[in-house]
Amino acid sequence: MTPKNKAAKRLPTCLFSLMLGAGLTLSYAPFGHWFIAPLLLSLLFWQLQHKGREFAFLQGFCFGLGWFGAGISWVHVSIADFGGLPLIASIGLMLLLCAYLALYPALAIKLLVRYIALPYWPLAIGFLWLLCEWLRSWMLTGFPWLSIGYSQLHGPLGGFLPVIGETGVSVLLITLACALGLMLPKRQYLPALSLIGILVIAGYVLGQQSWTEKRSDTSKLVMVQGNIQQSLRWVPEQDLPTMNLYRRLTQSHWDADLIIWPEAAIPKLEPLALNYLHELDEEAAAHSTALITGIVNYNFESRDAFNNLIVLGSQHGEPQGHYRYPHANRYAKHHLLPIGEFIPFEDWLRGIAPLFDLPMSSFSRGDYQQTNLLANNLRLAPAICFEIAFPAQIRANLHADTDFILTVSNDAWFGHSHGPHQHLEIAQVRAREFGIPVLRATNNGITAIIDANGQVLADLPQFEQGVLVSDVPRYRGQTPYARFGDLWAWLIASVGLLLAIWLPRRASTITSSSLMVE
């Protein structure tokens, strides 16, 4: 077959893979059709066994290109609107990012087809998928967005989240999909229905279990959403109006136990905003409350900049403030967003285009583990922006006395896209994994309070100024996932891989022995 004929034969298969990947977006927020994910993934594995395993990598790559091209299309909004690049360049950069991310599912599928015998694919795919997804969450600081387990928050597999986490749910989902993709075309309906039934029933039973216990006391929490346009956030003339706006929105809520402002709510550098901060500190303490706000701390001597959360007002309910720059009751972001908060290969890229020279795009990294923020006798484990997508980091910063997970963000970069909805969904999964409420404060939405079961208790509309007030319960106890992390996911996946390697060898040995006897 000539190369031209090969390309013609492969084109429909690759286009179908691309469509399958793009359709996966419908299983995530804001659409939330969880059943689409196992269906489309099953079709992918059906196609792999029937439509040319010799170009498995290409099929996996096309699937990934559709998956990320549609799923994180919101990245294009920030590049096009704020990156200062021509349309063709912004589209090209977006395609480059999606092509990079597509390498990971392509690698998992290539390894599966190359090294695992067809009947044993479902046993091995969990480990290979988990390995490649781990690489995606680690390489170049990691970008674990759209991991397939998030799609199951409201599905039957969601009951497994407090036990094996989103990582483990991804293993179960990809294993189920692979098994169905192999069994259903062979009309093996009974095994397929049995497998589905076992997982659905187990997920339901686990979902009814209360892994953490609600305490009798609640805390009155206030979160302020300023809805500052992204184009105005770093304009010096807008510093004072923005700071006054947040203060004005807060004035009638000093009776709360805790007040939270979003990421970089105070646009002035911390050393230049000391008078404002001291006033807030004293006012909060005078009302026996605390205020947490995002702010950029810049050290003029070392020239290090940190994306920080700081606590003002009372730590233990005392009537005097505790803020003294640079006090220790703060958190510095660890996982920095490539391009947005640090520039890879900065010496080469800086100055090439406005995208690589955005304000506040060169931060220093905080420690992986940091002490919880202490605010008016409440202890909070913080995560700034997309750090909430790293469950291992959240787990490393949770302690027996942690009251809430706090995540703050500024999603104004992404306009009316589905990015902020996916961001909220990730926070909901963290709440369900760890059995602890998540407080999500954002500049322009979706500001929300999420309970320990991952359900939104209260939220504010996007693109509106507002104040969210809610009494939030505290919890005691620990979920299995909080205790063991991804250990069970790796064990389950590893056992499957070992069986996929051992079983065909055992079958070959038995066959050889039978032939010798004959």
Side-chain angles (χ1 to χ4, degrees):
M1 185 180 293
T2 65
K4 185 175 181 179
N5 289 336
K6 284 185 178 180
K9 179 184 177 182
R10 294 176 179 181
L11 182 60
T13 302
C14 291
L15 288 176
F16 187 60
S17 297
L18 189 75
M19 292 172 60
L20 291 177
L24 205 59
T25 303
L26 297 175
S27 62
Y28 300 98
F31 312 103
H33 304 307
W34 59 265
F35 54 88
I36 287 180
L39 174 63
L40 297 184
L41 289 166
S42 298
L43 289 173
L44 173 66
F45 290 107
W46 167 81
Q47 177 181 256
L48 274 172
Q49 64 171 325
H50 291 290
K51 299 289 183 178
R53 279 173 266 167
E54 70 275 5
F55 60 103
F57 184 89
L58 182 59
Q59 291 179 70
F61 180 80
C62 291
F63 177 83
L65 202 60
W67 177 15
F68 295 110
I72 62 168
S73 56
W74 44 267
V75 173
H76 174 68
V77 176
S78 60
I79 296 175
D81 291 351
F82 306 107
L85 294 177
L87 180 61
I88 186 66
S90 64
I91 292 175
L93 193 60
M94 178 66 190
L95 285 175
L96 183 63
L97 172 62
C98 293
Y100 161 72
L101 294 173
L103 293 175
Y104 294 99
L107 176 61
I109 289 170
K110 176 63 177 177
L111 292 174
L112 179 73
V113 173
R114 174 68 176 82
Y115 294 106
I116 305 298
L118 177 60
Y120 304 98
W121 281 8
L123 291 173
I125 185 59
F127 182 88
L128 298 175
W129 191 270
L130 179 57
L131 176 64
C132 291
E133 285 293 90
W134 173 80
L135 287 173
R136 181 161 74 93
S137 72
W138 176 75
M139 292 291 292
L140 300 176
T141 75
F143 190 74
W145 208 272
L146 287 190
S147 181
I148 57 174
Y150 289 114
S151 68
Q152 301 304 298
L153 172 63
H154 301 297
L157 295 183
F160 287 92
L161 286 169
V163 182
I164 56 177
E166 185 277 329
T167 308
V169 170
S170 292
V171 171
L172 293 182
L173 177 58
I174 200 69
T175 301
L176 172 65
C178 186
L180 295 179
L182 269 58
M183 288 190 292
L184 292 179
K186 297 177 181 179
R187 300 184 179 180
Q188 297 174 337
Y189 301 128
L190 183 59
L193 289 174
S194 299
L195 179 59
I196 293 173
I198 290 170
L199 289 177
V200 168
I201 293 171
Y204 175 79
V205 171
L206 291 173
Q208 302 307 303
Q209 176 69 37
S210 297
W211 300 102
T212 55
E213 180 185 1
K214 185 186 296 186
R215 292 167 45 172
S216 59
D217 56 329
T218 62
S219 299
K220 183 178 181 181
L221 303 181
V222 167
M223 292 192 285
V224 182
Q225 182 173 289
N227 194 35
I228 307 299
Q229 295 181 34
Q230 186 59 37
S231 59
L232 301 178
R233 284 190 62 79
W234 303 115
V235 176
E237 292 79 11
Q238 293 298 317
D239 286 357
L240 188 57
T242 297
M243 292 155 70
N244 288 339
L245 170 67
Y246 272 99
R247 196 165 183 175
R248 176 174 58 80
L249 291 172
T250 303
Q251 280 305 309
S252 58
H253 299 284
W254 288 116
D255 61 332
D257 294 308
L258 176 62
I259 299 164
I260 302 168
W261 293 359
E263 179 184 14
I266 300 176
K268 191 179 287 292
L269 297 177
E270 186 177 354
L272 303 180
L274 295 183
N275 290 337
Y276 179 82
L277 294 173
H278 282 298
E279 290 175 5
L280 279 179
D281 181 55
E282 292 172 2
E283 190 165 12
H287 290 88
S288 298
T289 189
L291 185 150
I292 297 176
T293 181
I295 193 169
V296 174
N297 179 25
Y298 183 78
N299 188 314
F300 286 94
E301 294 182 1
S302 63
R303 297 188 178 181
D304 289 327
F306 295 92
N307 190 352
N308 273 2
L309 282 172
I310 60 173
V311 180
L312 305 172
S314 171
Q315 288 190 96
H316 299 283
E318 65 277 358
Q320 67 273 352
H322 72 289
Y323 175 78
R324 300 292 182 272
Y325 178 78
H327 74 338
N329 199 3
R330 65 179 58 228
Y331 172 81
K333 187 176 182 182
H334 172 77
H335 267 105
L336 302 178
L337 187 65
I339 305 301
E341 292 176 312
F342 82 96
I343 307 298
F345 315 110
E346 183 172 359
D347 292 341
W348 296 351
L349 296 180
R350 183 74 76 180
I352 289 180
L355 175 67
F356 303 116
D357 204 25
L358 290 171
M360 304 301 166
S361 61
S362 186
F363 285 99
S364 300
R365 194 182 308 278
D367 293 335
Y368 184 76
Q369 280 187 296
Q370 299 177 49
T371 56
N372 284 181
L373 297 177
L374 177 59
N376 198 20
N377 283 319
L378 296 173
R379 297 183 183 275
L380 302 99
I384 297 179
C385 194
F386 92 131
E387 285 187 313
I388 196 66
F390 294 87
Q393 180 182 340
I394 302 298
R395 177 173 173 264
N397 286 279
L398 284 178
H399 309 291
D401 58 354
T402 300
D403 293 299
F404 305 111
I405 296 172
L406 169 63
T407 179
V408 299
S409 185
N410 172 32
D411 288 346
W413 291 97
F414 310 118
H416 293 264
S417 69
H418 48 250
H421 298 274
Q422 293 173 357
H423 208 171
L424 175 63
E425 184 175 62
I426 291 171
Q428 290 178 263
V429 169
R430 293 292 88 82
R432 196 164 186 187
E433 283 175 335
F434 296 111
I436 185 173
V438 172
L439 317 176
R440 184 171 191 265
T442 71
N443 167 48
N444 69 325
I446 305 168
T447 295
I449 293 173
I450 305 163
D451 71 10
N453 293 315
Q455 301 300 314
V456 175
L457 291 177
D459 61 357
L460 289 175
Q462 283 185 284
F463 314 112
E464 293 182 15
Q465 288 180 10
V467 179
L468 182 62
V469 182
S470 183
D471 291 320
V472 185
R474 289 191 275 175
Y475 288 74
R476 63 169 61 92
Q478 192 178 44
T479 64
Y481 183 71
R483 184 175 181 184
F484 297 106
D486 292 330
L487 174 63
W488 286 110
W490 282 103
L491 285 176
I492 294 168
S494 298
V495 169
L497 178 66
L498 291 174
L499 288 173
I501 295 171
W502 176 69
L503 287 176
R505 292 183 179 181
R506 181 176 180 272
S508 177
T509 302
I510 293 174
T511 302
S512 300
S513 300
S514 300
L515 291 174
M516 290 178 64
V517 170
E518 292 176 2

